[in-house]
Amino acid sequence: MNLTHPFLDLDGDKLREECGIFGVIGAESAVNVTALGLHALQHRGQEACGIVTFDGKEFYAQRGLGHVASVFSGPELANVQPGAMASGHVRYSTTGGAGLRNVQPLFADLASGGFSIAHNGNISNAMTLKRELVRQGAIFQSTSDTEVIIHLVATSRYPTLLDRFVDALRMVEGAYSLICMTENGIIACRDPLGIRPLVMGRLGDAVVFASESVAFDVIGAEFIRSIDPGEMVQVDHNGTVSSHRPFGNVSARPCIFEHVYFSRPDSVMDGRSVYAVRKQIGVELAKECHTEADVVIPVPDSGMPAAIGYAHESGVPFELGIIRSHYVGRTFIQPSEGARHADVKRKHNANRAMVEGKRIVLIDDSIVRGTTSKKIVEMMRDAGAAEVHFRVASPPTTNSCFYGVDTPERSKLLAATMDTKAMAEFIKADSLAFVSIDGLYRAVGEAGRNGKCPQFCDACFTSDYPTSLTDNADRESHDLLTLPVHKVA
Ligand code: AMP
């Protein structure tokens, strides 16, 4: 065990992950409901998935690498014991070879009985806590930050499981939406800032929880409400629901990138339609930085709603100038630069009839490393575009996320090392512009970013991290001091 980097093991596992979680209690076939719910959350994690069920006596777990449809196809589902309570998890990490031992929900037999946990988010002091727990003799089974919570619950001295759970969460910092199961029922909770989403619904007599409301649409459940930041909702086997707020009142800072890219557009996030927000970002973008053009073209699928809003606001016709193959997953998932390049080509193809001889405005949700945008611009030029103007439906991504959206380290973020002009040259666009941070806030329904008390976590655009970053403080401050900013004269 390397205590200095306890999460970097020989599998090359990564600390940060993107994930989706689901839970149900009181359903006739909890495992089937969970598999269907996870299917709707597949965009949040494509690398691995798992389901844990409880039949009133025992817990059963089934986990596997790959998509929900392959891990939980008919025969595998039949292997999972039935029961009225289940929870599930989809996981995504960008480096290869993430081991089965990190696939959630994690499960442990505690003194109080079985305990399973499914986590979306990232604990930003997990390494520090883990080091201390290992020093005290804890033996970790995985390299996941989530396991820290299990050890903290196990070693807490409070009398009830709920108190031990709260005690554990008081020690962790960062982002967590959690769905936990004990023999007595389910506990769903969101970190005090509500960085990652979590919603609650009803399916007949059953209570369901999910990262996004779209999961309820798919299973036919009724949306009840979002879990509030810092709220802990407990549901027992009789269906009794109780709500606890152990962290007092803290101003919420939900992740704004869920609106930009991460969530499905047909989800409603903290009362806002993700699709409507994305379309409005396009409107703001057109107001802020429109340029003369013949056609507005989205980079599918992520740039689609913003491009519709942009075209509407600017009056420039919207056309599908790029056609996407639906048989290639998210390009970002590929661990190596070469594989990402090849995937962009396989995924997108120019629709020459809509591009040739035209001055085009390309719209995408974000530029991270610049791999996608560079290839897409080249593709438009090869298809005969007269001019290619790139417009981005988020501000420049200048900082890594430490709360569960897997952005690369800062030095690999294009906007961390280049200004907009240099980035335009890098992707070979005739012009490049990003929506402003205030424009983004207007699109989510705020008057603008309240600098004194920002309404969202927008650290990837502003470096204003809402929690301390105990594990990363040293590395980040080193990055900030040493990263060169290339300006083009
Ligand atoms: P890049 O080629 O590295 O600039 O990636 C940019 C594209 O990846 C964007 O157009 C997004 O659609 C997508 N993207 C942005 N952030 C993420 C993320 N954290 N995880 C997966 N995909 C992302």
Side-chain angles (χ1 to χ4, degrees):
M1 170 69 67
N2 177 349
L3 287 183
T4 352
H5 298 288
F7 290 90
L8 296 176
D9 71 354
L10 292 176
D11 297 340
D13 287 340
K14 260 190 95 167
L15 177 64
R16 291 194 300 279
E17 297 151 10
E18 299 176 327
C19 304
I21 55 176
F22 185 91
V24 54
I25 179 165
E28 222 169 75
S29 176
V31 64
N32 286 300
V33 172
T34 303
L36 203 55
L38 288 183
H39 204 275
L41 300 174
Q42 187 76 81
H43 60 288
R44 298 183 71 86
Q46 301 160 3
E47 186 184 80
C49 53
I51 295 179
V52 171
T53 60
F54 180 68
D55 68 358
K57 286 199 184 89
E58 301 280 339
F59 286 89
Y60 306 89
Q62 174 102 8
R63 307 179 186 93
L65 300 179
H67 289 189
V68 178
S70 59
V71 176
F72 293 106
S73 63
E76 284 82 4
L77 259 191
N79 287 339
V80 187
Q81 295 294 319
M85 178 169 78
S87 69
H89 190 271
V90 286
R91 176 173 187 264
Y92 173 104
S93 80
T94 53
T95 40
L100 203 51
R101 65 199 176 120
N102 285 335
V103 181
Q104 298 192 23
L106 300 181
F107 177 80
D109 268 313
L110 306 183
S112 53
F115 181 78
S116 81
I117 182 165
H119 173 204
N120 173 210
N122 183 62
I123 298 167
S124 54
N125 65 340
M127 288 192 200
T128 311
L129 290 170
K130 180 170 181 177
R131 217 172 283 140
E132 181 53 24
L133 285 160
V134 170
R135 203 186 57 74
Q136 290 168 11
I139 298 168
F140 278 73
Q141 304 288 318
S142 75
T143 55
S144 154
D145 57 333
T146 309
E147 198 183 342
V148 167
I149 299 177
I150 297 183
H151 286 272
L152 291 174
V153 174
T155 51
S156 169
R157 289 169 189 267
Y158 280 85
T160 69
L161 190 278
L162 193 70
D163 286 341
R164 283 200 288 278
F165 191 42
V166 172
D167 186 35
L169 294 182
R170 284 195 201 288
M171 283 183 257
V172 308
E173 69 185 33
Y176 52 85
S177 282
L178 302 171
I179 296 178
C180 300
M181 297 192 300
T182 70
E183 287 161 18
N184 297 325
I186 223 164
I187 307 171
C189 74
R190 221 169 149 193
D191 67 73
L193 298 170
I195 297 177
R196 302 258 72 85
L198 192 59
V199 290
M200 178 171 156
R202 232 176 221 294
L203 180 66
D205 291 335
V207 178
V208 283
F209 298 96
S211 295
E212 289 182 41
S213 65
V214 65
F216 298 162
D217 297 343
V218 171
I219 64 170
E222 178 201 349
F223 172 86
I224 299 180
R225 64 178 177 90
S226 289
I227 304 299
D228 287 336
E231 185 185 8
M232 208 170 253
V233 175
Q234 211 176 5
V235 188
D236 68 17
H237 294 294
N238 298 321
T240 310
V241 179
S242 51
S243 164
H244 312 264
R245 288 163 202 272
F247 305 109
N249 276 340
V250 188
S251 300
R253 297 284 295 275
C255 167
I256 206 159
F257 199 69
E258 291 275 355
H259 287 286
V260 169
Y261 172 78
F262 203 43
S263 296
R264 254 175 71 154
D266 43 350
S267 281
V268 176
M269 192 127 301
D270 288 326
R272 300 163 167 103
S273 148
V274 175
Y275 179 84
V277 166
R278 286 185 191 162
K279 210 171 146 195
Q280 191 59 31
I281 303 176
V283 171
E284 297 292 335
L285 198 52
K287 283 184 185 158
E288 288 184 352
C289 46
H290 180 50
T291 185
E292 284 291 301
D294 303 313
V295 63
V296 173
I297 293 177
V299 178
D301 291 328
S302 51
M304 203 70 95
I308 293 171
Y310 188 104
H312 195 261
E313 178 64 24
S314 64
V316 176
F318 170 96
E319 295 292 357
L320 296 181
I322 303 168
I323 305 300
R324 185 198 150 168
S325 162
H326 283 273
Y327 305 99
V328 182
R330 286 185 165 184
T331 46
F332 208 85
I333 203 167
Q334 294 297 342
S336 80
E337 189 74 1
R340 261 196 309 275
H341 269 276
D343 254 14
V344 174
K345 281 270 186 194
R346 279 196 296 140
K347 187 168 167 181
H348 295 122
N349 188 37
N351 182 9
R352 183 175 270 274
M354 289 300 122
V355 171
E356 198 162 17
K358 306 245 172 70
R359 296 170 300 167
I360 65 176
V361 178
L362 277 176
I363 313 275
D364 203 358
D365 68 291
S366 58
I367 293 182
V368 183
R369 299 177 183 85
T371 319
T372 312
S373 24
K374 195 172 181 184
K375 286 274 145 200
I376 296 281
V377 172
E378 188 186 344
M379 190 182 288
M380 295 294 95
R381 294 211 188 277
D382 290 348
E387 289 172 23
V388 184
H389 302 277
F390 210 102
R391 295 293 177 267
V392 187
S394 59
T397 304
T398 45
N399 296 277
S400 304
C401 176
F402 298 104
Y403 303 126
V405 171
D406 194 10
T407 40
E409 66 209 56
R410 244 197 120 217
S411 58
K412 296 209 174 96
L413 296 172
L414 203 61
T417 55
M418 294 182 192
D419 63 9
T420 305
K421 198 158 174 251
M423 289 171 80
E425 287 191 8
F426 177 83
I427 67 168
K428 298 196 164 61
D430 294 294
S431 74
L432 170 67
F434 296 80
V435 76
S436 68
I437 190 78
D438 281 325
L440 177 58
Y441 270 79
R442 282 193 294 276
V444 289
E446 304 290 343
R449 183 178 195 266
N450 177 348
K452 285 201 194 104
C453 183
Q455 306 89 323
F456 286 88
C457 174
D458 52 21
C460 49
F461 308 127
T462 62
S463 81
D464 180 0
Y465 293 97
T467 71
S468 32
L469 302 172
T470 306
D471 291 341
N472 299 285
D474 292 347
R475 210 180 64 200
E476 261 309 277
S477 52
H478 179 261
D479 269 12
L480 283 169
L481 290 174
T482 54
L483 274 184
V485 175
H486 299 301
K487 295 206 189 289
V488 173

